[in-house]
Amino acid sequence: MSDRNDLVYLCCVSDGKLWLSDHSLPIISKYQLDKISPTHYVIGQHDGKSVYYVPSSEQLDPESFEGLRTLLGLPPALFNLAGKAIQLDHMQASLGFCSRCGGENLFDSKHLAMSCQRCNTLSYARISPCVIVAVRKENQILLAQHPRHKNGMYTVIAGFVEMGETLEECVAREVKEETGIEVTNIHYFDSQPWAFPSNLMMGFIADYQRGEINPDYEELTDARWFDADDLPLVAPEGTIARRLIDAVTG
């Protein structure tokens, strides 16, 4: 029988959302975990506790499932593990059939992949590489506003890497396409797994080189230079966007 005092983190996922108790990642006993679902997988460790991924359980209140952004205040390592659970769930939903022979795929917990039941091909999670960049100009930072940010938030420029380009080329292209600005002195800053639904954000800092701001209004609602001591509402704590902004303006 499971130890009732063996505490674990529960990452139960349904439709890209996590079951959260009081808006936080639940810590429960292994005994409770076994009662919630017989199907569960260890995906990591944090603070001496195992972190479990559980596919959706009918025993849990569907009204208590929330998006990953609710957990931005968690320690980064635990936030990333919660995101890993969402990515695993997304993998199962999007890779149900083998791309080689069309056979049914089932989750292989040993390899964290989908295994074809006909030809044994393993299909791993599709992770999309993205760049995100803070552009500085003396004591100013280039920030943009996206249509999806209904609260008026501004953030740094980001975009997906295309085939055949380096990360640095992607940074220069995205900034140019979205704002009309050309940049130089592009250098790596940090990275963050970003499970929306399965991206890897690679952060950079770059310096302004030339050009006037000319926003691409199909992508943005606004873009402008802001003084470091007079910033608008910006990306929240816990995001690589906020770390980039703080690094440039701090």
Side-chain angles (χ1 to χ4, degrees):
M1 181 178 291
S2 299
D3 185 351
R4 293 172 183 262
N5 297 315
D6 184 11
L7 297 179
V8 302
Y9 285 98
L10 171 64
C11 296
C12 183
V13 185
S14 177
D15 294 328
K17 295 183 178 181
L18 292 155
W19 183 75
L20 303 182
S21 176
D22 296 324
H23 312 292
S24 61
L25 196 65
I27 299 175
I28 63 174
S29 70
K30 183 60 167 53
Y31 176 81
Q32 289 175 298
L33 175 65
D34 293 336
K35 299 288 284 185
I36 289 173
S37 174
T39 305
H40 43 64
Y41 310 95
V42 176
I43 57 172
Q45 300 285 326
H46 182 76
D47 196 24
K49 301 179 182 67
S50 295
V51 181
Y52 278 84
Y53 157 59
V54 176
S56 181
S57 171
E58 294 182 355
Q59 297 190 36
L60 300 177
D61 179 10
E63 298 298 320
S64 295
F65 283 81
E66 301 181 51
L68 182 60
R69 285 183 174 85
T70 304
L71 301 179
L72 280 170
L74 287 179
L78 184 56
F79 178 82
N80 291 344
L81 285 170
K84 182 177 181 178
I86 289 175
Q87 288 179 296
L88 287 171
D89 209 66
H90 176 70
M91 177 184 70
Q92 294 180 71
S94 59
L95 297 178
F97 296 94
C98 177
S99 61
R100 181 177 181 183
C101 74
E104 181 186 12
N105 280 335
L106 294 180
F107 181 54
D108 182 333
S109 60
K110 178 181 178 181
H111 295 95
L112 295 183
M114 302 299 287
S115 177
C116 178
Q117 303 305 289
R118 182 185 297 169
C119 70
N120 297 319
T121 295
L122 289 176
S123 299
Y124 292 90
R126 297 167 181 165
I127 299 174
S128 301
C130 309
V131 298
I132 183 166
V133 54
V135 180
R136 58 190 176 191
K137 178 184 179 185
E138 297 177 350
N139 195 43
Q140 294 183 311
I141 184 172
L142 179 64
L143 297 176
Q145 192 178 71
H146 296 264
R148 65 180 180 275
H149 295 149
K150 304 302 183 183
N151 61 350
M153 183 188 81
Y154 280 77
T155 188
V156 288
I157 302 298
F160 290 97
V161 180
E162 293 184 352
M163 293 181 292
E165 69 179 355
T166 66
L167 299 177
E168 292 80 4
E169 288 169 342
C170 182
V171 166
R173 175 182 57 78
E174 285 290 343
V175 175
K176 176 71 172 177
E177 288 180 354
E178 294 195 7
T179 69
I181 296 297
E182 294 183 30
V183 296
T184 187
N185 191 29
I186 301 167
H187 60 276
Y188 177 75
F189 172 76
D190 198 0
S191 64
Q192 182 178 30
W194 197 238
F196 297 97
S198 192
N199 303 333
L200 175 61
M201 306 296 293
M202 291 164 282
F204 291 83
I205 293 175
D207 292 323
Y208 167 81
Q209 185 175 40
R210 66 175 66 91
E212 298 295 327
I213 294 179
N214 182 24
D216 176 2
Y217 288 111
E218 291 187 2
E219 297 284 340
L220 309 175
T221 54
D222 190 26
R224 65 179 77 175
W225 295 106
F226 287 92
D227 292 333
D229 58 358
D230 188 22
L231 297 177
L233 177 67
V234 294
E237 296 282 354
T239 63
I240 189 171
R242 180 59 174 268
R243 296 203 300 272
L244 281 163
I245 293 169
D246 289 346
V248 168
T249 62

